[in-house]
Amino acid sequence: MQAYATLTATFARLGALEDASGILGWDTQTQMPDGASDTRGEQLAVLSVLAHEILTDPRNAERFEAAESEAGLGEWERANLREMRRAYAHAAAVPGDLVAAASKATTRCEMIWREARRESDFARLRPHLEEVLRLRRLVGEAKGATLGLDPYDALLDGYDPGMRRARIDPIFAQLRTVLPDLVVAVRERQAAQAPALPLPGPFPVAIQREIGLGLMRAVGFDFSRGRLDVSLHPFCGGATDDVRITTRYDEASATGALMGVLHETGHAIYEQGRPAAWRHQPVGQARGMSLHESQSLLVEMQACRSAEFCAYLAPTLRAAFGGDGPAWEADNLHRLYTRVEPGFIRVDADEVTYPAHILLRYRLETAMIAGDLTVADLPGAFNDGMMELLGLTVPDDRHGCLQDIHWPGGSFGYFPTYTLGALAAAQLFRAACAAHPSIRPALAEGDFAQLRGWLLENVHARASLMETDELLLAATGKPLGAEDFLAHLRRRYLGAAV
């Protein structure tokens, strides 16, 4: 197994470089002074190019061929070899100078985005975003030529291996058909009920943070291998055995930051649950971003916006903030957390209207990569889409196309994984509760042990051993689809017996 052993050593080195980039990326979003952005861009570019050079060493292609014929490779080793080949194919398709240029451009654009978003100044971002888009098109074209895919599918494959527009489009068409009437029905039902009472603030950040830390522990976050910080846009990042998650606080509202913490904790326990024996090997990595998003949405939406969990959370909040009265009751908290109302901001959207935000971004980014939509026309197209899909008039670009970091960061192809993840979350939660009916009652006690144990066994510990649909089939009995998600929405928001 000499060739295979050489490859595992190579990918262990790559894993260490990726970890270093992960920590630098976390620091960029949380601690780095604005004046250091150009230097940080150079640092990240050097690491990207170094990793690219190691991965695209021509000798690796020969080692893949030799390793395929070596005796003694088990199931995990063969899956690891498959994922190594996938990573190599993506990297070898892109020249090193393009890797460096793209890394520098995205780091610069992310920093400009911070200022542009704050000032609602799209013109400031426009030339930098145009450059990022130009480079991502080149990357998509280069990868597509090697992988036999169109540029968008090639970029999508980098975030969700094996996923294609041909797979997404029918699912999204189903959502586009069903959800508008569902939103109307839910809002009519909620309008006929007593309105949810807002929790009276203020909510000191220090107290919000302590509650968030306690919820992270309840879900199963290991603080010996991770931490919680603050950033403009919540995320989960860091490195192997050093998982960094962030949230953002608002003293006028306690609900947003707490759900942000729970969302990112879902990502984090997936990272912390990956098999230690395959640390820094491709097969030990998370199985694509749709499945990653399923873990965050399963924790936040499926579990922590349930009536059972609200029964646990309500007295916790009441005690922490000294609340009194009906606003602090579990039933009212549940109504607050399941209120459906179209809004401008994707990350604040409820789970019924959230897919509309993704349908819009998916349509826009596929058009940009195809060359059918220019960056100059992006604000108008975004605003038109918000009116079409959600009936909203966007007041300014901060509430429109400037709200997300994804495009400035070069993440074209990432957005559809959010809604695909919501579908997978519904399937997985249904299967977990069917296997262990005590999961839901346990949430009322703040007990996630059985749920996390099921996820560890069926998702986290399997890492990239299986393809996404294969893993979902094994865990839930069927490949990815919209049926369980739609049934969940009808059950939670319409009281339907499904």
Side-chain angles (χ1 to χ4, degrees):
M1 297 175 62
Q2 182 177 354
Y4 177 77
T6 301
L7 286 168
T8 59
T10 297
F11 277 87
R13 290 184 66 203
L14 288 168
L17 289 173
E18 290 168 0
D19 280 353
S21 295
I23 295 299
L24 285 176
W26 165 85
D27 181 78
T28 300
Q29 299 298 325
T30 59
Q31 305 290 331
M32 186 190 76
D34 291 349
S37 61
D38 287 344
T39 301
R40 179 57 48 81
E42 292 287 343
Q43 295 164 352
L44 289 168
V46 167
L47 289 174
S48 295
V49 171
L50 180 57
H52 185 265
E53 291 173 348
I54 293 171
L55 181 53
T56 58
D57 184 336
R59 292 174 295 179
N60 286 335
E62 301 170 4
R63 290 165 183 153
F64 290 135
E65 296 303 319
E68 289 285 1
S69 61
E70 288 180 343
L73 295 181
E75 180 187 25
W76 280 86
E77 287 80 9
R78 293 206 172 276
N80 197 30
L81 195 53
R82 178 196 71 216
E83 295 304 311
M84 287 176 176
R85 281 185 174 276
R86 193 196 304 273
Y88 176 81
H90 271 273
V94 185
D97 59 348
L98 180 54
V99 172
S103 178
K104 292 177 183 178
T106 54
T107 300
R108 185 180 307 113
C109 193
E110 285 180 356
M111 297 304 297
I112 297 298
W113 167 80
R114 292 185 185 184
E115 302 168 6
R117 180 182 181 274
R118 184 170 56 246
E119 303 298 327
S120 194
D121 185 1
F122 184 79
R124 180 173 176 79
L125 180 70
R126 176 182 163 182
H128 301 280
L129 184 56
E130 287 174 338
E131 178 65 3
V132 168
L133 175 59
R134 183 184 73 83
L135 293 170
R136 292 311 294 171
R137 277 183 186 152
L138 292 175
V139 169
E141 290 166 1
K143 289 186 175 185
T146 296
L147 301 173
L149 301 171
D150 70 47
Y152 186 82
D153 274 350
L155 295 173
L156 175 63
D157 192 77
Y159 296 109
D160 206 349
M163 187 57 69
R164 303 288 182 263
R165 285 187 301 161
R167 182 87 166 86
I168 295 173
D169 289 347
I171 295 175
F172 280 12
Q174 181 182 5
L175 295 177
R176 187 184 294 272
T177 299
V178 173
L179 285 177
D181 289 342
L182 184 61
V183 171
V184 170
V186 170
R187 297 198 71 200
E188 288 178 349
R189 184 173 190 258
Q190 292 188 346
Q193 300 170 341
L197 302 172
L199 297 181
F203 306 95
V205 168
I207 297 177
Q208 290 191 56
R209 175 177 167 80
E210 285 305 309
I211 296 172
L213 293 172
L215 294 177
M216 290 169 68
R217 292 187 187 95
V219 174
F221 187 89
D222 180 357
F223 280 95
S224 72
R225 297 188 294 141
R227 55 182 288 147
L228 171 67
D229 292 281
V230 177
S231 68
L232 182 62
H233 194 99
F235 68 91
C236 174
T240 304
D241 290 330
D242 188 3
V243 182
R244 311 288 179 92
I245 73 170
T246 69
T247 193
R248 57 188 179 198
Y249 297 102
D250 179 359
E251 290 206 342
S253 172
T255 55
L258 293 181
M259 283 298 161
V261 166
L262 288 164
H263 180 97
E264 301 305 334
T265 299
H267 282 303
I269 63 171
Y270 188 10
E271 287 297 314
Q272 293 182 336
R274 293 188 291 111
W278 295 97
R279 180 184 289 108
H280 286 157
Q281 292 301 309
V283 75
Q285 301 302 308
R287 175 71 270 160
M289 288 313 303
S290 289
L291 207 57
H292 225 310
E293 291 300 333
S294 81
Q295 299 308 284
S296 60
L297 292 170
L298 190 151
V299 169
E300 179 201 354
M301 292 294 186
Q302 297 290 325
C304 293
R305 292 182 190 261
S306 68
E308 292 86 355
F309 182 73
C310 287
Y312 166 75
L313 183 59
T316 302
L317 297 181
R318 185 167 56 244
F321 294 112
D324 188 27
W328 298 89
E329 297 299 324
D331 178 66
N332 185 67
L333 184 64
H334 184 242
R335 281 185 288 154
L336 284 173
Y337 273 134
T338 56
R339 182 185 180 193
V340 174
E341 182 176 3
F344 299 111
I345 305 303
R346 175 186 62 84
V347 297
D348 295 333
D350 58 83
E351 61 181 333
V352 184
T353 61
Y354 187 97
H357 292 268
I358 300 306
L359 294 174
L360 172 59
R361 287 157 174 79
Y362 174 65
R363 182 170 73 195
L364 296 177
E365 71 177 17
T366 54
M368 283 192 283
I369 293 297
D372 297 329
L373 176 66
T374 67
V375 170
D377 292 333
L378 176 60
F382 189 100
N383 296 350
D384 290 345
M386 288 290 282
M387 173 57 69
E388 174 196 346
L389 293 169
L390 289 170
L392 298 175
T393 300
V394 178
D396 52 49
D397 290 333
R398 185 168 66 89
H399 290 85
C401 65
L402 284 177
Q403 65 183 269
D404 296 303
I405 196 174
H406 300 65
W407 292 332
S411 297
F412 291 85
Y414 191 116
F415 273 123
T417 67
Y418 286 115
T419 287
L420 297 175
L423 308 186
Q427 283 185 215
L428 290 164
F429 192 66
R430 176 197 60 79
C433 292
H436 301 289
S438 59
I439 284 177
R440 283 184 179 274
L443 294 176
E445 306 298 325
D447 182 356
F448 286 78
Q450 200 160 47
L451 175 59
R452 187 176 181 222
W454 189 91
L455 291 172
L456 181 64
E457 177 184 354
N458 289 278
V459 180
H460 305 170
R462 286 176 172 171
S464 286
L465 176 64
M466 304 172 179
E467 300 282 2
T468 301
D469 268 341
E470 183 184 2
L471 187 149
L472 286 172
L473 185 62
T476 74
K478 54 188 174 183
L480 183 65
E483 291 72 22
D484 283 337
F485 175 69
L486 293 172
H488 156 72
L489 296 184
R490 294 184 181 108
R491 181 173 52 248
R492 173 174 283 179
Y493 294 94
L494 296 176
V498 292

